[in-house]
mmCIF file of all heavy atoms in Angstrom:
data_model
loop_
_atom_site.group_PDB
_atom_site.id
_atom_site.type_symbol
_atom_site.label_atom_id
_atom_site.label_comp_id
_atom_site.label_asym_id
_atom_site.label_seq_id
_atom_site.Cartn_x
_atom_site.Cartn_y
_atom_site.Cartn_z
ATOM 1 N N LYS P 119 -15.218 116.581 144.805
ATOM 2 C CA LYS P 119 -14.133 116.780 145.751
ATOM 3 C C LYS P 119 -14.355 115.939 147.056
ATOM 4 O O LYS P 119 -13.474 115.393 147.641
ATOM 5 C CB LYS P 119 -14.004 118.283 146.097
ATOM 6 C CG LYS P 119 -13.214 118.977 145.059
ATOM 7 C CD LYS P 119 -12.978 120.383 145.493
ATOM 8 C CE LYS P 119 -12.267 121.081 144.254
ATOM 9 N NZ LYS P 119 -11.788 122.290 144.453
ATOM 10 N N GLU P 120 -15.632 115.902 147.501
ATOM 11 C CA GLU P 120 -15.901 115.137 148.700
ATOM 12 C C GLU P 120 -15.678 113.672 148.494
ATOM 13 O O GLU P 120 -15.203 113.004 149.377
ATOM 14 C CB GLU P 120 -17.348 115.430 149.208
ATOM 15 C CG GLU P 120 -17.672 114.826 150.466
ATOM 16 C CD GLU P 120 -18.970 115.351 151.156
ATOM 17 O OE1 GLU P 120 -19.522 116.328 150.656
ATOM 18 O OE2 GLU P 120 -19.375 114.745 152.145
ATOM 19 N N THR P 121 -16.083 113.149 147.250
ATOM 20 C CA THR P 121 -15.936 111.750 146.957
ATOM 21 C C THR P 121 -14.395 111.399 146.993
ATOM 22 O O THR P 121 -13.988 110.431 147.550
ATOM 23 C CB THR P 121 -16.550 111.418 145.619
ATOM 24 O OG1 THR P 121 -17.909 111.733 145.589
ATOM 25 C CG2 THR P 121 -16.298 110.012 145.182
ATOM 26 N N ILE P 122 -13.580 112.281 146.313
ATOM 27 C CA ILE P 122 -12.151 112.067 146.334
ATOM 28 C C ILE P 122 -11.559 112.130 147.667
ATOM 29 O O ILE P 122 -10.755 111.293 148.091
ATOM 30 C CB ILE P 122 -11.506 113.047 145.316
ATOM 31 C CG1 ILE P 122 -11.936 112.801 143.891
ATOM 32 C CG2 ILE P 122 -9.956 113.049 145.422
ATOM 33 C CD1 ILE P 122 -11.510 113.930 142.842
ATOM 34 N N ALA P 123 -11.931 113.101 148.369
ATOM 35 C CA ALA P 123 -11.437 113.314 149.767
ATOM 36 C C ALA P 123 -11.813 112.167 150.699
ATOM 37 O O ALA P 123 -10.929 111.661 151.528
ATOM 38 C CB ALA P 123 -11.971 114.606 150.433
ATOM 39 N N GLN P 124 -13.011 111.540 150.519
ATOM 40 C CA GLN P 124 -13.435 110.406 151.331
ATOM 41 C C GLN P 124 -12.562 109.219 150.949
ATOM 42 O O GLN P 124 -12.146 108.469 151.827
ATOM 43 C CB GLN P 124 -14.869 110.116 151.162
ATOM 44 C CG GLN P 124 -15.370 109.044 152.068
ATOM 45 C CD GLN P 124 -15.249 109.433 153.502
ATOM 46 O OE1 GLN P 124 -15.829 110.559 153.949
ATOM 47 N NE2 GLN P 124 -14.613 108.601 154.322
ATOM 48 N N GLU P 125 -12.277 109.028 149.647
ATOM 49 C CA GLU P 125 -11.497 107.888 149.171
ATOM 50 C C GLU P 125 -10.087 108.059 149.776
ATOM 51 O O GLU P 125 -9.572 107.086 150.295
ATOM 52 C CB GLU P 125 -11.385 108.007 147.633
ATOM 53 C CG GLU P 125 -10.272 107.042 147.027
ATOM 54 C CD GLU P 125 -10.659 105.634 146.916
ATOM 55 O OE1 GLU P 125 -11.818 105.216 147.080
ATOM 56 O OE2 GLU P 125 -9.714 104.871 146.609
ATOM 57 N N LEU P 126 -9.589 109.191 149.805
ATOM 58 C CA LEU P 126 -8.173 109.466 150.366
ATOM 59 C C LEU P 126 -8.209 109.319 151.897
ATOM 60 O O LEU P 126 -7.267 108.718 152.477
ATOM 61 C CB LEU P 126 -7.646 110.865 149.985
ATOM 62 C CG LEU P 126 -7.469 111.104 148.474
ATOM 63 C CD1 LEU P 126 -7.125 112.523 148.215
ATOM 64 C CD2 LEU P 126 -6.517 110.145 147.865
ATOM 65 N N ALA P 127 -9.217 109.806 152.519
ATOM 66 C CA ALA P 127 -9.391 109.738 154.028
ATOM 67 C C ALA P 127 -9.494 108.253 154.441
ATOM 68 O O ALA P 127 -8.909 107.927 155.537
ATOM 69 C CB ALA P 127 -10.593 110.516 154.546
ATOM 70 N N ASP P 128 -10.181 107.450 153.781
ATOM 71 C CA ASP P 128 -10.283 106.053 154.007
ATOM 72 C C ASP P 128 -8.973 105.381 154.082
ATOM 73 O O ASP P 128 -8.839 104.295 154.731
ATOM 74 C CB ASP P 128 -11.327 105.314 153.109
ATOM 75 C CG ASP P 128 -12.689 105.851 153.307
ATOM 76 O OD1 ASP P 128 -13.046 106.412 154.325
ATOM 77 O OD2 ASP P 128 -13.565 105.548 152.384
ATOM 78 N N ARG P 129 -8.023 105.760 153.296
ATOM 79 C CA ARG P 129 -6.732 105.167 153.264
ATOM 80 C C ARG P 129 -5.584 106.065 153.677
ATOM 81 O O ARG P 129 -4.443 106.068 153.242
ATOM 82 C CB ARG P 129 -6.498 104.651 151.789
ATOM 83 C CG ARG P 129 -7.489 103.518 151.534
ATOM 84 C CD ARG P 129 -7.387 102.885 150.122
ATOM 85 N NE ARG P 129 -6.055 102.465 149.747
ATOM 86 C CZ ARG P 129 -5.749 102.187 148.490
ATOM 87 N NH1 ARG P 129 -6.667 102.159 147.569
ATOM 88 N NH2 ARG P 129 -4.608 101.851 148.131
ATOM 89 N N GLU P 130 -5.990 106.993 154.663
ATOM 90 C CA GLU P 130 -4.981 108.036 155.038
ATOM 91 C C GLU P 130 -3.704 107.454 155.569
ATOM 92 O O GLU P 130 -2.571 107.879 155.309
ATOM 93 C CB GLU P 130 -5.676 108.880 156.113
ATOM 94 C CG GLU P 130 -4.773 109.981 156.651
ATOM 95 C CD GLU P 130 -5.427 110.813 157.736
ATOM 96 O OE1 GLU P 130 -6.349 110.310 158.305
ATOM 97 O OE2 GLU P 130 -4.905 111.980 157.859
ATOM 98 N N PHE P 131 -3.759 106.437 156.455
ATOM 99 C CA PHE P 131 -2.642 105.781 157.021
ATOM 100 C C PHE P 131 -1.634 105.361 155.946
ATOM 101 O O PHE P 131 -0.449 105.584 155.982
ATOM 102 C CB PHE P 131 -2.983 104.666 157.913
ATOM 103 C CG PHE P 131 -1.750 104.051 158.636
ATOM 104 C CD1 PHE P 131 -1.173 104.651 159.658
ATOM 105 C CD2 PHE P 131 -1.301 102.789 158.123
ATOM 106 C CE1 PHE P 131 -0.070 104.127 160.292
ATOM 107 C CE2 PHE P 131 -0.203 102.269 158.765
ATOM 108 C CZ PHE P 131 0.450 102.885 159.873
ATOM 109 N N GLU P 132 -2.186 104.659 154.931
ATOM 110 C CA GLU P 132 -1.360 104.162 153.806
ATOM 111 C C GLU P 132 -0.652 105.342 153.085
ATOM 112 O O GLU P 132 0.450 105.335 152.763
ATOM 113 C CB GLU P 132 -2.168 103.302 152.959
ATOM 114 C CG GLU P 132 -1.507 102.810 151.647
ATOM 115 C CD GLU P 132 -2.442 102.132 150.637
ATOM 116 O OE1 GLU P 132 -3.571 101.754 151.069
ATOM 117 O OE2 GLU P 132 -2.003 101.945 149.490
ATOM 118 N N LEU P 133 -1.503 106.368 152.811
ATOM 119 C CA LEU P 133 -1.033 107.471 152.060
ATOM 120 C C LEU P 133 -0.021 108.286 152.835
ATOM 121 O O LEU P 133 0.982 108.863 152.288
ATOM 122 C CB LEU P 133 -2.173 108.381 151.647
ATOM 123 C CG LEU P 133 -3.205 107.708 150.616
ATOM 124 C CD1 LEU P 133 -4.364 108.702 150.400
ATOM 125 C CD2 LEU P 133 -2.586 107.346 149.358
ATOM 126 N N ALA P 134 -0.175 108.394 154.110
ATOM 127 C CA ALA P 134 0.738 109.182 154.950
ATOM 128 C C ALA P 134 2.061 108.593 154.982
ATOM 129 O O ALA P 134 3.081 109.295 155.181
ATOM 130 C CB ALA P 134 0.096 109.428 156.381
ATOM 131 N N SER P 135 2.198 107.271 154.849
ATOM 132 C CA SER P 135 3.471 106.619 154.821
ATOM 133 C C SER P 135 4.139 106.544 153.494
ATOM 134 O O SER P 135 5.202 105.962 153.350
ATOM 135 C CB SER P 135 3.334 105.278 155.490
ATOM 136 O OG SER P 135 2.513 104.457 154.720
ATOM 137 N N ASP P 136 3.536 107.065 152.426
ATOM 138 C CA ASP P 136 3.999 107.119 151.092
ATOM 139 C C ASP P 136 4.488 108.409 150.727
ATOM 140 O O ASP P 136 3.823 109.411 151.024
ATOM 141 C CB ASP P 136 2.868 106.582 150.108
ATOM 142 C CG ASP P 136 3.351 106.543 148.649
ATOM 143 O OD1 ASP P 136 3.961 105.490 148.318
ATOM 144 O OD2 ASP P 136 3.240 107.510 147.921
ATOM 145 N N ARG P 137 5.679 108.473 149.989
ATOM 146 C CA ARG P 137 6.262 109.822 149.783
ATOM 147 C C ARG P 137 5.401 110.633 148.808
ATOM 148 O O ARG P 137 5.368 111.896 148.910
ATOM 149 C CB ARG P 137 7.668 109.675 149.293
ATOM 150 C CG ARG P 137 7.730 109.073 147.900
ATOM 151 C CD ARG P 137 9.209 108.963 147.471
ATOM 152 N NE ARG P 137 9.245 108.653 146.052
ATOM 153 C CZ ARG P 137 10.433 108.507 145.504
ATOM 154 N NH1 ARG P 137 11.581 108.717 146.077
ATOM 155 N NH2 ARG P 137 10.427 108.337 144.141
ATOM 156 N N HIS P 138 4.616 109.950 147.904
ATOM 157 C CA HIS P 138 3.765 110.782 147.040
ATOM 158 C C HIS P 138 2.388 111.020 147.682
ATOM 159 O O HIS P 138 1.860 112.100 147.525
ATOM 160 C CB HIS P 138 3.587 110.036 145.654
ATOM 161 C CG HIS P 138 4.875 109.698 145.052
ATOM 162 N ND1 HIS P 138 5.764 110.712 144.487
ATOM 163 C CD2 HIS P 138 5.487 108.530 144.827
ATOM 164 C CE1 HIS P 138 6.812 110.094 144.030
ATOM 165 N NE2 HIS P 138 6.688 108.827 144.190
ATOM 166 N N GLY P 139 1.897 109.987 148.374
ATOM 167 C CA GLY P 139 0.596 110.112 149.027
ATOM 168 C C GLY P 139 0.534 111.168 150.008
ATOM 169 O O GLY P 139 -0.495 111.875 150.203
ATOM 170 N N ARG P 140 1.653 111.401 150.756
ATOM 171 C CA ARG P 140 1.707 112.349 151.803
ATOM 172 C C ARG P 140 1.350 113.815 151.208
ATOM 173 O O ARG P 140 0.685 114.585 151.767
ATOM 174 C CB ARG P 140 3.155 112.402 152.339
ATOM 175 C CG ARG P 140 3.349 113.218 153.584
ATOM 176 C CD ARG P 140 4.713 112.957 154.251
ATOM 177 N NE ARG P 140 5.797 112.410 153.363
ATOM 178 C CZ ARG P 140 6.360 111.308 153.485
ATOM 179 N NH1 ARG P 140 5.934 110.452 154.463
ATOM 180 N NH2 ARG P 140 7.264 110.864 152.650
ATOM 181 N N PHE P 141 2.008 114.077 149.970
ATOM 182 C CA PHE P 141 1.655 115.400 149.282
ATOM 183 C C PHE P 141 0.262 115.570 148.883
ATOM 184 O O PHE P 141 -0.295 116.585 148.987
ATOM 185 C CB PHE P 141 2.727 115.664 148.240
ATOM 186 C CG PHE P 141 4.078 115.815 148.714
ATOM 187 C CD1 PHE P 141 4.970 114.894 148.529
ATOM 188 C CD2 PHE P 141 4.420 116.993 149.305
ATOM 189 C CE1 PHE P 141 6.341 115.032 148.931
ATOM 190 C CE2 PHE P 141 5.730 117.247 149.759
ATOM 191 C CZ PHE P 141 6.627 116.226 149.611
ATOM 192 N N VAL P 142 -0.278 114.474 148.420
ATOM 193 C CA VAL P 142 -1.718 114.454 147.921
ATOM 194 C C VAL P 142 -2.691 114.784 149.154
ATOM 195 O O VAL P 142 -3.556 115.553 149.159
ATOM 196 C CB VAL P 142 -2.133 113.139 147.319
ATOM 197 C CG1 VAL P 142 -3.548 113.176 146.930
ATOM 198 C CG2 VAL P 142 -1.353 113.002 145.949
ATOM 199 N N LEU P 143 -2.354 114.201 150.275
ATOM 200 C CA LEU P 143 -3.102 114.398 151.548
ATOM 201 C C LEU P 143 -3.069 115.893 151.864
ATOM 202 O O LEU P 143 -4.127 116.462 152.238
ATOM 203 C CB LEU P 143 -2.631 113.613 152.725
ATOM 204 C CG LEU P 143 -2.823 112.080 152.669
ATOM 205 C CD1 LEU P 143 -2.178 111.361 153.847
ATOM 206 C CD2 LEU P 143 -4.349 111.783 152.682
ATOM 207 N N GLN P 144 -1.920 116.604 151.723
ATOM 208 C CA GLN P 144 -1.808 117.949 151.984
ATOM 209 C C GLN P 144 -2.536 118.838 151.079
ATOM 210 O O GLN P 144 -3.327 119.771 151.405
ATOM 211 C CB GLN P 144 -0.337 118.376 152.083
ATOM 212 C CG GLN P 144 0.428 117.830 153.257
ATOM 213 C CD GLN P 144 1.908 118.198 153.174
ATOM 214 O OE1 GLN P 144 2.473 118.518 152.200
ATOM 215 N NE2 GLN P 144 2.523 118.093 154.314
ATOM 216 N N THR P 145 -2.369 118.525 149.720
ATOM 217 C CA THR P 145 -3.061 119.278 148.708
ATOM 218 C C THR P 145 -4.501 119.221 148.760
ATOM 219 O O THR P 145 -5.171 120.279 148.616
ATOM 220 C CB THR P 145 -2.558 118.784 147.291
ATOM 221 O OG1 THR P 145 -1.177 118.799 147.213
ATOM 222 C CG2 THR P 145 -3.229 119.487 146.132
ATOM 223 N N CYS P 146 -5.049 118.062 149.076
ATOM 224 C CA CYS P 146 -6.554 117.864 149.222
ATOM 225 C C CYS P 146 -7.078 118.234 150.646
ATOM 226 O O CYS P 146 -8.233 118.091 150.834
ATOM 227 C CB CYS P 146 -6.917 116.442 148.725
ATOM 228 S SG CYS P 146 -6.425 116.088 147.034
ATOM 229 N N ASN P 147 -6.186 118.649 151.457
ATOM 230 C CA ASN P 147 -6.557 119.098 152.912
ATOM 231 C C ASN P 147 -7.361 118.064 153.618
ATOM 232 O O ASN P 147 -8.442 118.345 154.230
ATOM 233 C CB ASN P 147 -7.311 120.369 152.798
ATOM 234 C CG ASN P 147 -7.050 121.277 153.882
ATOM 235 O OD1 ASN P 147 -6.381 120.882 154.856
ATOM 236 N ND2 ASN P 147 -7.513 122.509 153.822
ATOM 237 N N ILE P 148 -6.806 116.783 153.529
ATOM 238 C CA ILE P 148 -7.556 115.690 154.155
ATOM 239 C C ILE P 148 -7.621 115.779 155.707
ATOM 240 O O ILE P 148 -8.576 115.343 156.306
ATOM 241 C CB ILE P 148 -6.970 114.303 153.794
ATOM 242 C CG1 ILE P 148 -7.027 114.180 152.122
ATOM 243 C CG2 ILE P 148 -7.652 113.114 154.418
ATOM 244 C CD1 ILE P 148 -8.430 114.411 151.599
ATOM 245 N N ALA P 149 -6.645 116.376 156.379
ATOM 246 C CA ALA P 149 -6.675 116.576 157.839
ATOM 247 C C ALA P 149 -7.876 117.392 158.166
ATOM 248 O O ALA P 149 -8.556 117.073 159.163
ATOM 249 C CB ALA P 149 -5.449 117.141 158.319
#
Side-chain angles (χ1 to χ4, degrees):
K119 279 186 183 190
E120 187 168 349
T121 301
I122 293 170
Q124 188 62 57
E125 165 82 11
L126 298 173
D128 289 345
R129 292 181 49 194
E130 181 182 21
F131 182 75
E132 175 188 345
L133 296 174
S135 63
D136 180 84
R137 68 181 194 177
H138 305 294
R140 190 173 22 247
F141 290 107
V142 173
L143 290 174
Q144 289 174 342
T145 301
C146 299
N147 215 350
I148 300 306

